[in-house]
């Protein structure tokens, strides 16, 4: 199974950008890169996904390396409500979501 | 994207009993997914439920312990059978929210077995 590697935890200051890295050196051509986040006491929430090109939406940006072996989720301006566990997932054919340990993001006021 | 209603939101059950968790989606979906999240852990996929066919279980999960029903394209149930304290977890259902939205998750059922 394709797997991802993320730091266990990261800290950020409120109103500053946050770059959450994800390594996926065994990615295959049909694997989509998905990001979800889980706020305390809630189910996971979809953030963004992409295949080869960088993606932007209202929540975040996804920067995908040219060789696709790594990606970075960018929160442009962290707020206290962005404190959550962020999961980077490789989804074959945009399907089959299997969660790793994720990165716990702490946002400091 | 799809909206999921999951019931109950939480329950405390006696060991040896069973609990059925319901998942209702506001639109028709082909596949529904059931996950377990043990305390302090990430999510683990239990099974994939397609309407009109038997659910497909992941390694370590069996139908006798976690029977799943999928009677139509908007509804599914997961039963946790013959519960033990080790089954205390959050159980979540999920559907594909659409090509633009990834997966949508229910808010989960927090199960405590005593």
């Amino acid at each position: 199974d394709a797997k991802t590697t993320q730091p266990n935890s990261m800290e950020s200051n409120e109103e500053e950008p946050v770059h959450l890295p994800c390594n996926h050196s065994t990615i295959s051509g049909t694997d989509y890169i998905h990001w979800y986040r889980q706020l305390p006491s809630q189910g996971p929430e979809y953030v963004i996904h992409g295949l080869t090109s960088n993606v932007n939406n209202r929540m975040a940006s996804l920067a995908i390396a040219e060789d696709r072996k790594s990606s970075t989720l960018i929160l442009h301006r962290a707020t206290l409500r962005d404190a959550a566990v962020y999961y980077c997932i490789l989804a074959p054919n945009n399907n089959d979501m299997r969660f790793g340990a994720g990165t716990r993001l702490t946002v400091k006021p | 994207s799809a909206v999921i209603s999951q019931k109950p939101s939480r329950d405390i059950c006696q060991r040896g009993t069973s609990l059925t968790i319901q998942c209702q989606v506001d639109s028709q979906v082909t596949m529904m997914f059931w996950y377990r999240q043990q305390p302090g852990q990430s999510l683990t996929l239990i099974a994939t439920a397609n309407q009109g066919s038997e659910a497909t279980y992941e390694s370590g999960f069996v139908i006798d312990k976690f029977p799943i029903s999928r009677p139509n394209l908007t509804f599914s149930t997961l039963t946790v059978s013959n519960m033990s304290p080790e089954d205390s977890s959050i159980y979540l259902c999920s559907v594909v929210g659409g090509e633009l939205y990834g997966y949508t998750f229910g808010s989960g059922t927090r199960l405590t077995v005593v």
Side-chain angles (χ1 to χ4, degrees), chain B residues 27-100:
Chain B
S27 58
Q28 294 184 340
V29 293
T30 303
M31 291 190 291
M32 297 180 75
F33 308 91
W34 287 98
Y35 289 83
R36 180 178 73 182
Q37 187 169 30
Q38 295 176 300
Q41 303 296 312
S42 181
L43 284 75
T44 301
L45 180 63
I46 297 173
T48 301
N50 289 331
Q51 194 270 333
S53 63
E54 292 284 331
T56 302
Y57 288 83
E58 297 298 311
S59 176
F61 298 96
V62 295
I63 187 171
D64 289 346
K65 177 66 176 178
F66 297 100
I68 290 171
S69 77
R70 184 77 204 277
N72 57 53
L73 291 173
T74 64
F75 188 77
S76 178
T77 67
L78 170 76
T79 299
V80 186
S81 303
N82 188 25
M83 288 183 286
S84 67
E86 291 70 35
D87 294 320
S88 297
S89 296
I90 299 173
Y91 293 85
L92 303 105
C93 66
S94 175
V95 301
V96 179
E99 186 173 336
L100 298 179

Side-chain angles (χ1 to χ4, degrees), chain A residues 34 36 38 41-44 46 49 87 94-101, chain B residues 31 33 35 37 42-43 45 58 92 99-103 105-107 110:
Chain A
H34 280 245
Y36 292 78
Q38 188 172 23
S41 300
Q42 295 188 26
Y46 167 80
H49 78 285
Y87 297 98
N94 212 23
N95 217 326
D96 196 18
M97 298 295 162
R98 296 171 189 271
F99 288 72
Chain B
M31 291 190 291
F33 308 91
Y35 289 83
Q37 187 169 30
S42 181
L43 284 75
L45 180 63
E58 297 298 311
L92 303 105
E99 186 173 336
L100 298 179
Y101 301 107
Y103 279 30
F105 287 81
S107 55
R110 183 179 294 271

Side-chain angles (χ1 to χ4, degrees), chain A residues 5-87:
Chain A
T5 303
Q6 300 178 252
N8 291 332
S9 62
M10 291 185 64
E11 283 191 352
S12 172
N13 294 318
E14 194 176 14
E15 299 188 6
E16 290 185 356
V18 182
H19 290 232
L20 297 165
C22 181
N23 288 320
H24 29 79
S25 58
T26 60
I27 191 170
S28 71
T30 58
D31 288 337
Y32 284 72
I33 302 162
H34 280 245
W35 284 82
Y36 292 78
R37 71 179 185 181
Q38 188 172 23
L39 280 66
S41 300
Q42 295 188 26
E45 174 187 29
Y46 167 80
V47 178
I48 201 167
H49 78 285
L51 183 61
T52 57
S53 303
N54 295 343
V55 184
N56 300 295
N57 65 21
R58 64 176 180 82
M59 291 182 67
S61 295
L62 175 60
I64 301 173
E66 192 169 339
D67 63 5
R68 300 213 316 132
K69 293 185 176 181
S70 65
S71 60
T72 303
L73 178 70
I74 303 166
L75 307 179
H76 294 287
R77 197 162 163 267
T79 70
L80 297 178
R81 289 176 294 178
D82 291 323
V85 179
Y86 286 78
Y87 297 98

